[in-house]
Amino acid sequence: LFFNKFNFVSTIHNNPFADYKFKYGEVFGSIIANIHKICLKRNPNSYIAVSKSILNIYKEKGINISCIQNGVDIAHFSKSTKEDKNLLKSKLYIPLNKDVFLTSGRLVKSKNLLTTIKGFNKFNKGDSILLIVGDGKEREFLNSFASESIVFVGFTDSILDYYRISDFFISSSSKEGFHMAVLESMAVGLLPLL
């Protein structure tokens, strides 16, 4: 009865028809995705997709929801000066003479970080460093492929500092609804490599 007094809105960031199969397997993932679909069809006005690509996936399934695209507060995610960047690098023990590549997020299979690590190891000529910000169940596995130019930062509440010391942002994710980290990194002035 308590919940009947309020209207709720939920944002949709994923494609359950692909993501659940990837996470739970073909059969169980399909079952969960269909339950998800039934729930959404019951009250489509309560759900908002965060990107047009997510909106189109749901429309193809006969679910008519709304879309409000993600955005970034550019006053908060702003470029830093070279001096500020170097101060932050020193504070975080990052060599001043290295190009900094950054990737962030959960360390899970769908983020495809092994591709990022292998690609970085292959093309790095010793003049760059890769920072991996985030944590997850694949950390130990991924660490076994890392060279000494790759740093696992772990979880942080100060992601903005890592954006500001970096030169490039890498995302090799195999599934993303609308990658907020790419938007944030671009607002700070990083070149995205997708």
Side-chain angles (χ1 to χ4, degrees):
L1 294 174
F2 173 78
F3 291 110
N4 292 335
K5 297 179 182 180
F6 300 97
N7 290 324
F8 291 90
V9 175
S10 180
T11 55
I12 300 173
H13 296 256
N14 74 326
N15 174 358
F17 311 101
D19 295 347
Y20 294 162
K21 289 178 186 177
F22 185 81
K23 185 170 184 173
Y24 300 112
E26 189 74 29
V27 174
F28 191 57
S30 293
I31 292 168
I32 295 172
N34 281 314
I35 291 169
H36 190 123
K37 179 180 172 181
I38 291 165
C39 292
L40 288 174
K41 279 189 164 187
R42 286 187 178 165
N43 194 1
N45 295 328
S46 296
Y47 300 98
I48 298 173
V50 298
S51 70
K52 289 183 179 176
S53 62
I54 294 295
L55 176 70
N56 290 335
I57 288 166
Y58 283 84
K59 282 189 173 186
E60 287 173 8
K61 300 291 183 183
I63 303 167
N64 190 21
I65 59 175
S66 301
C67 177
I68 299 175
Q69 294 192 65
N70 277 336
V72 173
D73 179 356
I74 59 173
H76 179 71
F77 290 96
S78 59
K79 295 179 184 180
S80 61
T81 64
K82 186 173 177 99
E83 295 79 22
D84 288 341
K85 185 175 188 171
N86 286 338
L87 281 172
L88 267 175
K89 276 186 166 183
S90 296
K91 176 183 159 190
L92 297 170
Y93 305 103
I94 303 298
L96 298 179
N97 62 339
K98 302 260 185 185
D99 287 328
V100 179
F101 290 77
L102 173 70
T103 189
S104 66
R106 295 173 296 120
L107 306 187
V108 295
K109 193 172 185 176
S110 65
K111 297 294 184 181
N112 198 21
L113 288 165
L114 186 56
T115 297
T116 298
I117 291 169
K118 285 181 173 181
F120 182 83
N121 285 337
K122 183 176 181 178
F123 294 105
N124 183 26
K125 294 177 176 55
D127 57 349
S128 302
I129 188 168
L130 171 62
L131 301 177
I132 300 175
V133 176
D135 218 338
K137 61 183 180 181
E138 291 236 321
R139 182 175 181 156
E140 192 174 314
F141 168 74
L142 294 168
N143 196 39
S144 68
F145 292 91
S147 66
E148 52 194 48
S149 295
I150 297 175
V151 177
F152 286 84
V153 174
F155 177 80
T156 181
D157 287 325
S158 56
I159 186 67
L160 185 57
D161 288 347
Y162 289 94
Y163 285 141
R164 288 187 171 155
I165 64 166
S166 300
D167 303 293
F168 304 92
F169 184 84
I170 301 174
S171 174
S172 53
S173 183
S174 55
K175 293 179 177 29
E176 285 292 340
F178 193 76
H179 207 317
M180 285 300 297
V182 171
L183 282 182
E184 293 167 354
S185 68
M186 290 173 65
V188 174
L190 304 187
L191 179 66
L193 304 172
L194 310 174

